[in-house]
Amino acid sequence: MRQFDDHRRFSPTAQGAVDPGLGELPEWNLADLYAAPSSQALKDDYAKAERKAAAFAKNIRESSLSLPRRMAQSSPVQLENLKTFKT
Amino acid sequence: MGRIAAYATLLYTGDTTDPDRAKFYGDMQETLTRISTHLLFFGLEINRIDDGILDAALAAPELAHYRPWLMDLRKERPYQLDDKIEQLFHEKSVTGRGAFNRLFDETMAGLRFDVDGEELAVEPALNLLVSPDAETRKKGAKAISKTLGENIRTFTLITNTLAKDKEISDRWRGFDDIAASRHLANRVEPEVVNALVASVEEAYPRLSHRYYAMKAKWMGMDKLNYWDRNAPLPESDTKLIAWDNARNIVLDAYGGFAPQMADIARDFFDKKWIDAPVREGKATGAFAHPTVPSAHPYVLLNYQGKTRDVMTLAHELGHGVHQVLAAGQGPLMADTPLTLAETASVFGEMLTFRSLLEGAGDVAERKSMLAGKVEDMLNTVVRQIAFYTFERKVHTARLEGELTSEQIGELWMSVQAESLGPAITFDEGYETYWAYIPHFVHSPFYVYAYAFGDCLVNSLYAVYQETDAGFAEKYFEMLRAGGSKHHSELLAPFGLDASDPAFWQMGLKMIEGMIDELEMLDS
């Protein structure tokens, strides 16, 4: 992020045709993340995130009342797994 | 969740005007916000645990790995308030700080700047200041000061209100300095920032004052008008660099530093991790997105073949290399703290710049490249430190009561004269130019971070130039640490210490050296 005053890195996007002298410019392949917005894998991950986040909260709430130590011990691992969908 | 968020974000930035992508992106934000409310309490709860209990828990091997993350979280603890107050602050921020931020954004977006009868929005108007034509720059500058001047009461109200709002929460939370909450968020100690600011301010005469005097001479003027400061230099290059050539320039520069660095960067080209062309609807600018450690980063560019675009490629690939190396830290600790967030990117850019400079054909080309680099650095280092000084003056003065537009304008002008020097004339409406800078509104005191990143890399590069062997391995080790270490631990292997003014002076010396060379080429 840079600011307006020093925006020369972010030169305004040129209008019109791309200069042919640049050769072929690559476009990224996002399929390494998901095949498509409608893909089954993505729907499954949404559902998994929902389920795991709720379970995480419930687990902490219930154990933290009596055992803050247990919460501190296991929770970062669970939170991290949740962020990446490791099971 | 990170994977979905990354996917939706990247898809959307590829074409922000496609309604399907926009909807997918919007729905994603909504869903993930809802899901993550389950997790929000976790940090607060951890910070309610007593030190003794947490220390004992940290002895367990499975938790020891997360020590850096937990310790980092703990730093917020002394400033955390009771649940009820936290909740009230949070809810009230919508109608307080949040509302004034929005007022700024909406006012700014609605402003029109009249240039020869044409009504321009703020960004195209500001773009006129980098036009090669002096008359166009002047017209742009006049239009900007006219419109800002007509709306100055609103910006003054916003500034006064936000400074007061910040003072109220700082007081409740127990921050002892106007910038202390920012330093905490940046995980940097006040004495480190003070060392940086003092070193840069002390160097103003040898950096900006000297350079702009030289630029005035190049442009055939006694003094530059403020609208000439960022004017393109008369000899700026116009040749286009084809994509394959750009790729080779950056990979060669990286490989010259260490083959491993080029190997990591090569994957970005070979595996389609880069989106390079300018397209209708695509996000502007450039970024590297780390996605999640279990996948790989992506880079977005708007490549148009200028030398600057090659530098941007080198910059973003530097981030990309850093993200690949830090992925081993896992999602909670891979993110680099602000203090080193720009290290790999600026370092990668520096390697590429040096390599291009070595290959410069003649004196004119070398001069133009050096001048371009110096201007970038002055905008990043001198300018941002001056902005920080301005913010400190405004917030300090606000403690005594409301400020008038004239008072804010006077503070602004004094800081400009001091930092940019006698070779630039500031008059005819420049006193309102503080009003459009969004950082003052959205992230008070953030601006020094830009100077921090650039200066740090300059110092690091100076060490690299003086080291015979072993630098690259230490450098990679530093990048691999991601967010798991404090800057003092990361810099120690290089014999560097950010709280020592000598550290910053070493980096500033490098900019001075470039200006020395420009003076020499000039005579």
Side-chain angles (χ1 to χ4, degrees):
Chain A
M1 184 175 80
R2 298 257 162 162
Q3 54 197 57
F4 277 138
D5 189 56
D6 303 316
H7 59 307
R8 291 178 307 148
R9 181 187 300 288
F10 293 91
S11 50
T13 302
Q15 301 298 313
V18 173
D19 194 298
L22 298 180
E24 197 175 331
L25 296 172
E27 299 195 6
W28 58 26
N29 171 23
L30 297 181
D32 293 349
L33 295 172
Y34 294 101
S38 57
S39 72
Q40 190 57 43
L42 196 144
K43 283 181 193 136
D44 291 349
D45 278 352
Y46 262 134
K48 205 191 284 181
E50 184 98 55
R51 205 169 57 237
K52 282 178 169 278
F56 176 76
K58 186 164 179 283
N59 185 16
I60 300 295
R61 288 270 185 233
E62 285 173 4
S63 69
S64 67
L65 293 174
S66 54
L67 276 176
R69 189 176 304 200
R70 186 196 297 162
M71 160 175 141
Q73 276 188 6
S74 58
S75 311
V77 188
Q78 291 172 6
L79 185 64
E80 193 158 64
N81 289 346
L82 183 67
K83 293 209 173 212
T84 46
F85 297 121
K86 268 192 266 171
T87 42
Chain B
M1 289 194 287
R3 183 178 281 258
I4 302 179
Y7 181 61
T9 305
L10 294 173
L11 202 65
Y12 173 67
T13 54
D15 184 358
T16 55
T17 55
D18 175 5
D20 290 338
R21 293 187 190 205
K23 179 179 160 45
F24 179 60
Y25 179 66
D27 289 349
M28 174 279 290
Q29 284 184 315
E30 212 174 288
T31 311
L32 292 188
T33 304
R34 182 170 49 75
I35 295 176
S36 61
T37 48
H38 289 303
L39 312 175
L40 281 180
F41 68 93
F42 184 53
L44 294 174
E45 295 259 347
I46 289 249
N47 276 343
R48 303 220 180 284
I49 301 175
D50 286 337
D51 284 338
I53 295 178
L54 191 71
D55 282 346
L58 276 169
E62 63 269 41
L63 197 61
H65 169 67
Y66 294 98
R67 170 181 282 276
W69 182 73
L70 286 164
M71 288 298 108
D72 198 56
L73 197 60
R74 292 296 266 192
K75 290 187 180 150
E76 314 263 353
R77 193 176 188 225
Y79 309 100
Q80 200 173 305
L81 301 171
D82 295 343
D83 276 358
K84 284 263 182 204
I85 305 177
E86 285 288 350
Q87 196 182 344
L88 179 67
F89 266 38
H90 185 69
E91 291 190 20
K92 276 280 190 188
S93 73
V94 179
T95 51
R97 194 181 64 223
F100 280 87
N101 270 267
R102 237 183 100 184
L103 177 61
F104 175 83
D105 289 346
E106 294 186 7
T107 305
M108 226 42 236
L111 291 188
R112 289 298 173 267
F113 302 84
D114 182 351
V115 180
D116 288 341
E118 203 185 340
E119 300 280 304
L120 299 176
V122 61
E123 198 148 9
L126 287 166
N127 264 327
L128 297 179
L129 299 181
V130 293
S131 160
D133 176 51
E135 198 48 35
T136 306
R137 291 197 299 271
K138 184 177 178 179
K139 277 183 189 164
K142 298 285 174 190
I144 292 166
S145 63
K146 181 166 183 289
T147 300
L148 290 179
E150 286 163 1
N151 293 275
I152 206 69
R153 287 172 59 100
T154 307
F155 293 116
T156 302
L157 175 66
I158 294 171
T159 303
N160 272 303
T161 307
L162 287 174
K164 182 65 188 174
D165 180 273
K166 187 168 184 312
E167 184 273 319
I168 295 170
S169 35
D170 281 355
R171 180 158 37 84
W172 276 78
R173 293 185 182 282
F175 286 111
D176 57 359
D177 178 73
I178 45 176
S181 62
R182 175 62 60 197
H183 299 334
L184 177 73
N186 288 344
R187 298 293 186 261
V188 53
E189 302 65 35
E191 57 271 23
V192 171
V193 180
N194 293 344
L196 166 68
V197 172
S199 304
V200 173
E201 287 183 337
E202 193 269 326
Y204 284 163
R206 300 190 302 280
L207 301 173
S208 39
H209 297 193
R210 197 156 60 111
Y211 177 78
Y212 290 124
M214 197 157 49
K215 180 162 181 170
K217 200 179 76 186
W218 292 338
M219 298 186 68
M221 304 165 85
D222 284 341
K223 278 178 131 195
L224 294 173
N225 299 297
Y226 68 83
W227 56 81
D228 297 322
R229 191 175 60 86
N230 282 322
L233 291 164
E235 297 140 17
S236 294
D237 72 313
T238 46
K239 69 167 191 245
L240 285 184
I241 300 161
W243 175 254
D244 283 344
N245 200 0
R247 172 197 146 109
N248 293 337
I249 290 169
V250 176
L251 289 182
D252 286 351
Y254 278 24
F257 173 73
Q260 189 192 349
M261 187 139 139
D263 290 344
I264 299 172
R266 198 171 291 111
D267 275 349
F268 284 76
F269 295 95
D270 294 350
K271 297 183 177 169
K272 289 175 157 293
W273 298 354
I274 305 178
D275 198 65
V278 174
R279 273 194 313 269
E280 193 77 22
K282 179 171 159 176
T284 55
F287 62 75
H289 194 302
T291 77
V292 281
S294 52
H296 58 76
Y298 282 97
V299 165
L300 178 140
L301 305 169
N302 278 283
Y303 188 80
Q304 297 175 67
K306 305 255 175 58
T307 306
R308 169 158 305 278
D309 295 321
V310 180
M311 290 300 160
T312 304
L313 171 66
H315 181 100
E316 301 308 336
L317 282 177
H319 278 307
V321 167
H322 195 175
Q323 289 159 357
V324 168
L325 288 171
Q329 293 292 338
L332 295 181
M333 292 179 287
D335 280 352
T336 314
L338 169 111
T339 41
L340 283 126
E342 291 296 332
T343 304
S345 56
V346 180
F347 196 81
E349 209 180 323
M350 181 64 85
L351 290 172
T352 307
F353 172 74
R354 291 286 172 180
S355 145
L356 275 176
L357 192 65
E358 269 171 38
D362 52 25
V363 172
E365 195 183 341
R366 190 173 173 86
K367 203 172 127 181
S368 149
M369 285 181 68
L370 275 171
K373 189 74 182 168
V374 167
E375 291 203 10
D376 269 0
M377 286 183 162
L378 294 181
N379 276 333
T380 313
V381 176
V382 167
R383 193 99 174 113
Q384 307 305 325
I385 292 302
F387 283 174
Y388 175 71
T389 311
F390 167 71
E391 284 188 283
R392 287 206 67 96
K393 287 185 184 220
V394 169
H395 283 253
T396 305
R398 179 67 184 88
L399 297 175
E400 308 298 324
E402 288 226 3
L403 301 174
T404 63
S405 310
E406 289 72 29
Q407 283 172 312
I408 301 176
E410 278 163 25
L411 294 175
W412 172 252
M413 294 298 263
S414 74
V415 167
Q416 298 308 320
E418 205 175 283
S419 61
L420 299 174
I424 301 181
T425 319
F426 298 103
D427 53 9
E428 306 181 66
Y430 195 66
E431 66 280 354
T432 57
Y433 271 60
W434 54 270
Y436 77 84
I437 296 171
H439 290 59
F440 298 158
V441 173
H442 296 310
S443 333
F445 301 112
Y446 184 82
V447 286
Y448 72 77
Y450 299 110
F452 195 108
D454 252 33
C455 282
L456 189 145
V457 167
N458 283 344
S459 299
L460 202 60
Y461 195 84
V463 173
Y464 166 56
Q465 285 181 311
E466 287 160 16
T467 315
D468 296 329
F471 183 91
E473 200 27 64
K474 279 191 224 165
Y475 179 73
F476 291 134
E477 199 52 49
M478 176 176 82
L479 299 191
R480 271 193 288 268
S484 67
K485 286 185 184 167
H486 186 256
H487 64 78
S488 56
E489 292 173 89
L490 291 169
L491 293 175
F494 301 95
L496 297 173
D497 171 8
S499 62
D500 179 2
F503 164 77
W504 300 107
Q505 280 149 15
M506 182 159 66
L508 295 168
K509 274 255 163 9
M510 193 156 106
I511 311 182
E512 270 185 74
M514 290 185 183
I515 302 175
D516 289 345
E517 190 182 341
L518 279 170
E519 273 181 345
M520 210 182 66
L521 291 173
D522 219 30
S523 57

